[in-house]
Amino acid sequence: MLLTTAATLVLFLPTTTTISSRQPEGEVPGVFVKRHGSPMGGRDYEVWLGQTEDRGHVVRIPSGWGTDFEVRPVEGGLELAFASGGRVFVPERFYTGNR
């Protein structure tokens, strides 16, 4: 019974892995791309904007957009411009001030 419970937990507990990180020149936040998933389920991706990979503003990447994107400084914040054509604007207040 204990072994069955442990095996079930391993199969269904989600894991989080940082798959890339970068500190673009001239930009305040670090950019950390993380993958969430479990051996039995699908995968989701997030971009974390902040000083470290474990603390920052989280932007969920819509399904199908992929993880190929550019970070562009724009007036009042950052734009995440995805190769798939998607765009996400993140206001500066969300990733500054130790967030």
Side-chain angles (χ1 to χ4, degrees):
M1 169 105 163
L2 184 57
L3 185 57
T4 302
T5 302
T8 301
L9 287 174
V10 168
L11 289 175
F12 292 103
L13 280 179
T15 59
T16 301
T17 306
T18 301
I19 60 172
S20 70
S21 64
R22 55 188 154 172
Q23 182 86 29
E25 273 188 46
E27 298 199 22
V28 175
V31 179
F32 306 93
V33 179
K34 297 185 178 193
R35 177 180 59 222
H36 294 282
S38 70
M40 297 299 289
R43 294 182 179 167
D44 296 316
Y45 295 92
E46 297 175 337
V47 176
W48 287 48
L49 302 170
Q51 300 301 316
T52 64
E53 72 178 270
D54 60 348
R55 183 173 180 166
H57 178 69
V58 179
V59 178
R60 295 196 189 280
I61 299 175
S63 181
W65 283 23
T67 58
D68 183 18
F69 63 92
E70 292 180 34
V71 179
R72 301 177 181 156
V74 294
E75 186 173 333
L78 294 175
E79 178 182 71
L80 306 179
F82 289 82
S84 63
R87 304 257 188 280
V88 176
F89 173 73
V90 182
E92 187 175 12
R93 71 177 189 273
F94 290 139
Y95 58 83
T96 58
N98 276 337
R99 291 180 187 227

